[in-house]
Amino acid sequence: MTPTAPPAARPAPTRQDFVSDQEVRWCPGCGDYSILAQMQKIMPDLGIARENIVFVSGIGCSSRFPYYMNTYGFHTIHGRATAIATGIKCAHPELSVWVMTGDGDGLSIGGNHMLHILRRNVDVKIVLFNNRIYGLTKGQLSPTSELGKITKSTPVGSIEHPINPVSFAIAAEATFVARAIDSETAHMQEVLKRAAAHKGVAFVEILQNCNIFNDGAWDSLKDREVKSDRLVNLQNRKPLVFGKNRDKGIRLNGYKLEVASLGAGVSESDLLVYDETETDSSFAFLLSREGRPDFPVPIGVFRDVVAPTYDELMSRQIAQAQAKKGPGSLEDLIYSGMRWTVKANGTSV
Amino acid sequence: MATKSQAANNNKPVEIVDRVTIRFAGDSGDGIQISGNQFTMATAFAGNDLGTMPDYPAEIRAPAGSLPGVSNFQISFSERDIHTPGDAPDVLVAMNPAALKVNLRDLGAGGTIIVNSDSFATANLKKAGYEANPLEDGSLQAYRLIPIAITQLNAKALEESPLSKKERDRCKNFYALGVIYWLYDRPLQPTLDFIADKFAKSPDMVAANQTALKSGYNFADTTEIFTSHFRVRQAQLPPGEYRNITGTEALVLGLVAASQLAETPLFYGSYPITPASDMLHELAYLKNFGVKTFQAEDEIAAVCATIGASYAGSIGVTGTSGPGAALKSEAVGLAVMAELPLVVVNVQRAGPSTGMPTKTEQADLLQAAVGRNGECPVVVLAPATPADCFSMAIEACRLAVKYMTPVYLMTDGYLANGSEPWRLPDLTSLKKITVSHEADAKSFEPYQRDPKTLARPWVVPGAPGLEYRIGGLEKAEVTGDVSYDPVNHERMVLLRAEKIRRVAQDIPPTEIFGEASGQLLLVSWGSTFGAVHSAVERVRANGKKVSSVHLRHISPFPADLGQILKSFETVLVPELNLGQLRLLLRGEYGLPVVGLNKVQGRPFTIGEVQQKIEELI
Ligand code: SF4
């Protein structure tokens, strides 16, 4: 049951090695295609043998993903992929385990399990496709749908305050948290590679377009003309600069973040320098909360900190117990406690 | 059934009795369970067969002296092979008025009541709802009442102890235990050893508790309170090495044994729930056996993580009780569809909903057998006695991996917490469990079935060249690809059903107690074995021809069961529900089956089953 080492002479894998024989069934134009393509592209670069990779999913459009990857795959039940992945990783820590989920699967029905896999720091990579709608069930409100949103189940507008997936993950103190966009393919590849390289739980939100039930949900961030003013790409230990001409930045004013124009007495040294390795998650959280229309949406890595993983600690406790007590003997275990012997003549001692 | 004789080693006459049932009762803080367990150990050493049943209050710390705070422990011991902790106790040891009030209705006519008379003060009487002191108002005239001022006597015995007054007072349980040890001629040594071990850190505690025990014993020996004491001869148990074991302990050992027999690591995912949590506690200690325990965030995560572990090559076991089993049912359906091994232990308790968590019942049988969406067959097993949990835990794991299927193992609060002597198995006699994760990469198909068992191969991630995808969507036969083909769906539904049916080929022939045909057959399952078997024994001892069979395999039924049932005029199914096995038997065999049903959160007494038998013949 231990994974066999790949034969030495095996040729280096290519993208094609990760493409399964199944016909991809997402709606034409769906953002999921891009995520699949980027994933298949980065896989050969990870240096992990294909047989040691498992994709796990729940239910929803995103959850079809494992069928299309020529790795091990388990398409499970609604909301529970994170729990199943926890068991897979704990039982078999050598595997690279990925969870593909959506805003409904991961944050509504699976919200509880999401919280716990993140806080436990199970070494599983979670990619959450956020299209702000239920696609597979044909267009109901999701937990990330905006207040007032008209959907099939909210014909006069949503009365729910949406959840911000990145804030959720940071609040749960996930050790790696990032955001990418389906249309920003090179950036997404970088983020996915970073997630794969992180030891511990990795949470990646991908802003994804559902062109059938919520088309254009992220258009304000995608338009070529304005996107550089609407996005700030987080760079570790670099000041938070953005804008078409890199002429704007983010600085702290009291407890609030604010946008500042560079020049006219404001220089890069006045701006916040972002540190994704800061163990205190408060600042990452603050940055993730910003929702003002004039404020850019951060993408990239919010948080990448080192902490022992749950699966590693579980294995370590077993190794320690075995080192201390020796491998368990069933005989000693059964023949323990107060015992007595009944002799053939019926007497007992 | 007592015969008088002179005892050799004590100065009072000894009466030989063949079976005694004692119930210890007191505040849950009184250490009743410890007293009960110690008495059990001493009884095992005395060579009697025995059965025990603890009965805890639902509240963790109900107010001292209150009715809901009463904790009980019943033990029955005999010179014969016995199967239950006894019906009505012969002796009630009540440490306070509430304990007396709660338990008096169960005491057999003419039974003995030993009370700590010091605790029958006004405040305690009021808490128990007594208007007058029952020790004085004549209301206990029908019983043999033995009031002993245990608190005072204990305090006197421990005058010299440097412990605080409160600490000394806590030793009074051992004082009371000493009295009972004398009365039933139990050896003191095992308990003296236990005390030395338990309080090893405090020599003063050891001395005080040991003194209390011995003083109680000597008090009974020297005072006029008892005119004689009782002896139960050694039982003729089969030769071998024994220990006393609860169902929970036996089940845990069985799971570990299965893991070793299969040379496959055990993964146990669970969420705390009464009365199943003890399995998690015990397994969490066994890390050097490679056991991985996972306390999940909820019942669903517990079963899902377990399914993940099974998928990754472990023996996945999740333990719970009724409400938790309800939450797990969707995930069990996934394991049915993905055809993965999974063991779900349901320590049943009284329901529905939260019900009575600390009380026993058998009302989750249909939930296990059919309580899932779609046509979703699983294997259902049930151990018969606490010690039988060992073998049935191995059996559950064996069938799960052999047939690649979820298996429900149905115990209950009574089996889990009850205990009996267990003849320790010869480990070399336990059969290996064959596990293979191999497949030929050239011809591998995820749903290519073994022609005999119809199981699919258990290929585990990590195997090169065998990467495959599975899930909860309907599978195409053989390839396992997603399929919406209507004919394929029906074919797969039938295949999954047939796979479970074929488990019957792996079930040993049903043992019939009594004649193979006749007027009346009793069919029992799970923890009702003891009461049913004992009742049939009694009726047969009276010369009546009545037979019984006990089912450990309920889904599928043993292949020979139909023929057996048809050989009797009447079939009676006693069960602690409103007739769930009866419904399954009727459905399977189309036979009229009579029920004896009880849902009081308590097991059957032998007398109840006997009475029903006598009504029917
Ligand atoms: S419904 Fe939306 S999310 Fe689902 S596949 Fe179609 S476009 Fe993509």
Side-chain angles (χ1 to χ4, degrees), chain A residues 73-108:
Chain A
F74 198 176
H75 177 210
T76 71
I77 44 177
H78 206 10
R80 321 299 175 200
T82 36
I84 288 169
T86 298
I88 296 174
K89 184 68 187 176
C90 290
H92 203 334
E94 300 85 352
L95 298 173
S96 168
V97 183
W98 293 72
V99 166
M100 308 312 269
T101 183
D103 39 322
D105 186 63
L107 290 170
S108 191

Side-chain angles (χ1 to χ4, degrees), chain A residues 111-325:
Chain A
N112 190 32
H113 310 308
M114 182 65 79
L115 164 65
H116 293 281
I117 193 174
L118 295 177
R119 75 165 172 96
R120 288 190 184 109
N121 197 30
V122 186
D123 189 9
V124 167
K125 317 302 156 203
I126 301 162
V127 182
L128 184 139
F129 303 13
N130 183 7
N131 56 20
R132 313 191 82 173
I133 198 79
Y134 277 68
L136 191 70
T137 51
K138 302 196 171 73
Q140 302 83 1
L141 174 87
S142 101
T144 58
S145 298
E146 54 277 28
L147 190 67
K149 175 107 185 154
I150 308 259
T151 72
K152 279 199 186 136
S153 55
T154 53
V156 292
S158 160
I159 51 172
E160 293 186 19
H161 185 74
I163 191 165
N164 173 332
V166 163
S167 296
F168 178 89
I170 294 170
E173 306 212 25
T175 51
F176 182 97
V177 182
R179 180 183 284 142
I181 305 182
D182 56 2
S183 51
E184 300 289 320
T185 55
H187 178 261
M188 191 203 308
Q189 287 175 32
E190 274 321 299
V191 166
L192 291 176
K193 279 190 206 166
R194 288 280 311 274
H198 173 75
K199 190 164 162 34
V201 77
F203 178 90
V204 179
E205 176 195 20
I206 299 185
L207 310 183
Q208 173 245 327
N209 193 38
C210 168
N211 54 311
I212 302 296
F213 295 109
N214 199 16
D215 196 22
W218 305 110
D219 274 2
S220 68
L221 308 179
K222 291 182 173 183
D223 186 295
R224 273 186 191 289
E225 290 304 307
V226 299
K227 74 177 183 188
S228 32
D229 288 327
R230 291 290 298 121
L231 296 174
V232 55
N233 192 358
L234 303 175
Q235 307 270 345
N236 195 28
R237 306 227 162 82
K238 298 265 171 59
L240 292 170
V241 179
F242 67 103
K244 206 170 184 175
N245 306 313
R246 298 192 58 77
D247 54 356
K248 285 183 256 188
I250 296 170
R251 67 179 178 193
L252 200 55
N253 181 1
Y255 292 118
K256 293 247 174 216
L257 296 172
E258 66 177 19
V259 171
S261 297
L262 290 171
V266 182
S267 76
E268 283 201 3
S269 61
D270 297 315
L271 301 180
L272 269 166
V273 175
Y274 194 71
D275 186 355
E276 66 196 23
T277 65
E278 172 57 55
T279 47
D280 183 339
S281 55
S282 314
F283 186 70
F285 188 77
L286 184 66
L287 190 64
S288 76
R289 295 309 300 150
E290 198 40 73
R292 278 174 288 173
D294 66 321
F295 206 90
V297 171
I299 59 169
V301 178
F302 284 74
R303 195 167 142 81
D304 185 359
V305 301
V306 180
T309 70
Y310 183 85
D311 41 294
E312 176 179 69
L313 292 173
M314 183 182 270
S315 298
R316 192 183 299 166
Q317 286 191 338
I318 286 178
Q320 283 167 345
Q322 288 177 336
K324 202 167 138 204
K325 303 185 198 166

Side-chain angles (χ1 to χ4, degrees), chain A residues 1 3-4 10 20-22 50-52 54 64 66-67 69-78 80 83-84 86-88 90-93 95 112-113 116 120 310 314-315 317-318 321-322 325-331 333-336 338-348, chain B residues 41 44-45 47 190 234 237-244 253 257 260 285-298 300-301 304-305 308-309 311-312 314 330-331 334 340 390 421-422 424-425 427 437 459-464 466-473 481-482 484:
Chain A
M1 66 150 285
T4 333
R10 214 152 68 168
S20 82
D21 60 359
Q22 300 292 301
R50 192 174 65 185
E51 64 269 18
N52 288 336
V54 187
R64 290 280 180 140
Y67 290 118
M69 295 294 298
N70 193 12
T71 61
Y72 282 92
F74 198 176
H75 177 210
T76 71
I77 44 177
H78 206 10
R80 321 299 175 200
I84 288 169
T86 298
I88 296 174
C90 290
H92 203 334
L95 298 173
N112 190 32
H113 310 308
H116 293 281
R120 288 190 184 109
Y310 183 85
M314 183 182 270
S315 298
Q317 286 191 338
I318 286 178
Q322 288 177 336
K325 303 185 198 166
S329 147
L330 187 61
E331 176 141 28
L333 187 65
I334 287 178
Y335 285 75
S336 69
M338 293 243 218
R339 278 161 295 140
W340 69 97
T341 303
V342 175
K343 299 223 180 97
N345 64 9
T347 58
S348 62
Chain B
M41 214 34 91
F45 270 67
Q234 288 196 329
L237 295 172
E241 199 165 351
Y242 283 80
R243 70 186 266 198
N244 191 55
L253 292 178
Q260 297 218 336
Y285 268 104
L286 300 178
K287 297 199 194 313
N288 62 324
F289 287 82
V291 178
K292 289 183 172 169
T293 53
F294 173 62
Q295 181 183 326
E297 58 270 27
D298 61 25
I300 297 172
C304 284
Y311 169 73
S314 293
E330 185 200 10
L334 173 67
L340 286 167
F390 177 78
W422 179 36
L424 303 182
L427 296 186
H437 301 305
V459 168
V460 166
L466 301 177
E467 297 84 358
Y468 67 98
R469 273 69 57 191
I470 52 168
L473 287 171
D481 290 343
V482 174
Y484 287 92

Side-chain angles (χ1 to χ4, degrees), chain B residues 364-379:
Chain B
D364 299 344
L365 181 61
L366 291 177
Q367 183 194 44
V370 295
R372 285 165 297 282
N373 60 307
E375 293 291 350
C376 197
V378 296
V379 175

